[in-house]
Structures are given as C-alpha cells and as structure tokens.
C-alpha cells in the first residue's frame, strides 16, 4: 500500500462511501449510457480500477454477460466492503493500490477507471501501470466529472463563481493542493497520449437536471454538494451576505431552497477518454 496518502487524501482507511453511493444513484442513467458507448462484447474481461462502492460492477457485468469477467479494485477498505456487499458472487473485488495491482499483466480487454486518476500524485504513471494489465488492443476508459464548470444556480452566476472559488480555497487549505496541482484533471487525453496509448479519443456527456427533481437527484445535490462539499466549511471564504444567501439556497427547509425553484437547472459534464494499447 502507498505510504503517502493520495493527492486528495485517499488511504486504505478513508471512507466516503456514502458520497459515492449518492453520486452513482444520481448519475446512473448517464454512466450506463457511457458504458453502452464502449460497445463491450460479451465474454470481455473488465477491470474497474478505483471501483469505489461498486455500482458500475453490475452495469459492466450486464454488458459482458455470464461468460465475461468483471473485477473491481480499490484502495479503501470501506469502499471495498461496500462493493463486495452488492457485487454478484461471480465478481471479484480486490483491496489493492492500483499502483501495485496484484494482477497478471495482459489480462483485461478494458480497464474502466472513473473519477480516480485525478486522485493519484502521478496520473501518467498510474495510467501506464493500468495499461500493462491490458491485452493487445485492449482499451482503457478514463472518466472525469466536471471537466467544464458546472452550473448550479442558473439565476446567479456570480454566487456560483464565488462558491466555486471558495471550494478551491478550502481544498488548498485542507489538502494543501493548489489549483495548479489539480489542473491535470482536464487533460485525460494528454495523460493517455503521454502514456503511449493509440487511437486516443474523447467524448463529453452532459448530466443535466431541471426542476422538479427525482429523489436520487435531490439526495445527491442536497447531501453531497450542498451539505458535505459546501456548507459550514465555506463560511470563512465568503462574505457574510454571500454565505447567508448560499445557506438559504441550500437549506431544504427554507422557502428559497434552490432545488424547489422553478428555474433550477443543473448542468455537469462527464468526460470519457479512451485509448488502445
Ligand atoms: C472519487 S472515487 C471514484 C470511485 C468510483 N470509480 C466511482 O466512480 O464511483 C475514487 C476512488 O479511487 C480510490 N483510490 C484512490 N487512490 C487509489 C489507488 N492508488 N489505488 C486504488 N484505488 C484508489 C478511492 O478509494 C476511491 O474509491
């Protein structure tokens, strides 16, 4: 296991399984669409590197069928336990650092790696290692949410900009990472080319929601974004007026709660970059 925590603080003991479950329930339609775009053939062998709480394991299994193989791998014990609890008995879920994967080389037809490569201190090295697990002509699919800025408050771009800036400042203080350290998130294509993959291509999908929202949308946005990503932690980085406005918009009990506004319109991008070995 890595001695140092990952760039965003991942360790074997870190647990944000609730956040991962909420995100996957929210984005399931688009994530399934992204998996479908890969045209996986039945019997294919797939590794989900950084599988988190394991929701994609079943979506991938649905595509490769009973004769295919799906393996999940994650660093965090709690995420692995959550993934094992929902995985089919045929799906192996390993607790391992993807930089030291206990897997034979040239085994997989696809490595699926969502929102994980940006957690590594050296994404290109991680991608090269994952590439070594691919069979000849095997593919790696790297996914990343929010490559373009998200829209949360369609009616107030100013507050949204200040909120995003406050989140960056919070991250800078909490994880001691600067915007420069996080810049590589947008360069999935560059990372694949640097690691010598062929036929590299990219496609951006849009996760878009308007009011009225369904329960999975409301749960993810309220709990993961409004409460756990923003909330009290942003108070030091906003003026008192802006913080008060944000608090009203994020409070389900308040008449101004953003998700019940008729003009609520959320846009988030999810970019997929695919390369071939
Ligand atoms: C943002 S989560 C994404 C999880 C999942 N792919 C999803 O889309 O829901 C990143 C995951 O990568 C795992 N992770 C971070 N560094 C890792 C490493 N070096 N090896 C294996 N897993 C790692 C974390 O434990 C976490 O589960």
């Amino acid at each position: 296991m890595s001695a140092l925590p990952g760039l965003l603080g991942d360790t074997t003991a870190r647990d944000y399984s609730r956040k991962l479950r909420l995100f996957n329930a929210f984005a399931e339609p688009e994530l399934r669409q992204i998996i479908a775009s890969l045209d996986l053939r039945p019997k294919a062998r797939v590794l989900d590197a950084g599988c988190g709480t394991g929701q994609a394991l079943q979506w991938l299994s649905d595509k490769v069928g009973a004769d295919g193989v799906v393996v999940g791998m994650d660093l965090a014990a709690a995420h692995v336990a959550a993934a094992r609890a929902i995985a089919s008995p045929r799906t192996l879920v390993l607790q391992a650092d993807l930089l030291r994967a206990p897997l034979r080389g040239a085994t997989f037809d696809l490595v699926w790696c969502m929102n994980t490569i940006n957690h590594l201190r050296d994404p290109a090295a991680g991608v090269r290692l994952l590439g070594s697990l691919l069979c000849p002509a095997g593919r790696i699919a790297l996914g990343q949410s929010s490559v373009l800025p998200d829209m949360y408050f369609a009616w107030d771009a100013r507050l949204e900009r200040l909120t995003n800036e406050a989140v960056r400042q919070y991250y800078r203080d909490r994880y001691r990472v600067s915007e420069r350290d996080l810049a590589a998130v947008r360069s999935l294509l560059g990372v694949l080319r640097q690691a010598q993959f062929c036929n590299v291509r990219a496609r951006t999908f849009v996760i878009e929601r308007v009011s009225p929202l369904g329960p999975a949308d409301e749960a993810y946005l309220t709990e993961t974004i409004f409460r756990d990503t923003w909330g009290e932690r942003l108070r030091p980085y906003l003026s008192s007026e802006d913080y008060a406005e944000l608090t009203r918009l994020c409070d389900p009990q308040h008449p101004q709660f953003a998700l019940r506004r008729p003009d609520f319109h959320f846009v988030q991008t999810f970019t997929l970059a695919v390369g071939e070995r």
Side-chain angles (χ1 to χ4, degrees):
M1 302 287 167
S2 297
L4 257 184
L7 185 64
L8 299 179
D10 291 286
T11 61
T12 53
R14 183 107 185 268
D15 179 6
Y16 45 96
S17 40
R18 187 176 150 67
K19 177 177 171 184
L20 296 177
R21 273 196 217 98
L22 286 167
F23 174 72
N24 281 279
F26 159 71
E28 177 174 348
E30 289 80 7
L31 291 168
R32 281 185 180 270
Q33 186 194 352
I34 294 169
I35 290 174
S37 78
L38 291 169
D39 285 328
L40 273 167
R41 60 171 179 77
K43 298 192 187 174
R45 288 156 299 173
V46 181
L47 172 68
D48 184 348
C51 65
T53 43
Q55 282 68 25
L57 299 172
Q58 188 55 50
W59 306 334
L60 293 161
S61 297
D62 290 347
K63 293 290 173 197
V64 301
D67 295 325
V69 172
V70 176
V71 175
M73 179 167 69
D74 201 280
L75 182 66
H79 299 178
V80 168
R84 284 183 181 148
I86 59 162
S88 89
R90 297 185 55 253
T91 301
L92 176 66
V93 185
L94 299 168
Q95 188 189 354
D97 186 335
L98 65 80
L99 300 170
R100 296 173 182 74
L103 292 163
R104 260 190 309 123
T107 300
F108 296 98
D109 300 301
L110 176 76
V111 170
W112 167 261
C113 184
M114 296 299 116
N115 282 332
T116 294
I117 218 69
N118 61 317
H119 288 234
L120 304 180
R121 291 179 185 275
D122 184 350
V127 165
R128 270 194 299 274
L129 279 163
L130 292 175
S132 70
L133 303 175
L134 290 172
C135 320
R139 292 177 296 168
I140 185 165
L142 299 180
Q144 182 63 50
S145 16
S146 305
V147 167
L148 296 174
D150 304 343
M151 180 165 84
Y152 291 95
F153 303 144
W155 59 89
D156 194 344
R158 190 197 71 90
L159 184 63
E160 194 175 279
R161 173 175 57 76
L162 293 171
T163 304
N164 286 333
E165 181 53 32
V167 171
R168 270 190 221 109
Q169 287 177 13
Y170 171 81
Y171 269 71
R172 205 145 50 212
D173 295 346
R174 159 103 199 256
Y175 297 115
R176 299 187 188 285
V177 286
S178 71
E179 201 173 351
R180 200 174 276 124
D181 297 323
L182 301 173
V185 160
R186 295 204 315 191
S187 192
L188 296 178
L189 204 87
V191 167
L192 288 180
R193 292 213 160 119
Q194 203 187 332
Q196 313 277 307
F197 281 86
C198 315
N199 296 329
V200 174
R201 59 188 194 280
R203 183 171 163 198
T204 294
F205 297 76
V206 176
I207 302 174
E208 187 164 34
R209 303 285 185 270
V210 298
S211 54
L213 298 179
D217 303 330
E218 185 156 334
Y220 168 71
L221 292 168
T222 308
E223 296 180 39
T224 305
I225 305 296
F226 293 176
R227 199 190 60 208
D228 295 344
T229 306
W230 299 350
E232 182 62 33
R233 55 172 61 177
L234 299 192
R235 188 195 287 272
Y237 305 107
L238 291 168
S239 71
S240 50
E241 295 77 27
D242 288 334
Y243 182 73
E245 172 69 0
L246 184 66
T247 304
R248 285 190 290 274
L249 289 169
C250 294
D251 177 1
Q253 310 308 328
H254 198 279
Q256 287 176 26
F257 181 44
L259 304 192
R260 307 247 161 75
R261 287 177 62 124
D263 52 355
F264 182 75
H265 182 182
F266 171 84
V267 178
Q268 176 181 29
T269 57
F270 195 98
T271 296
L272 183 76
V274 180
E276 229 174 84
R277 192 172 161 197

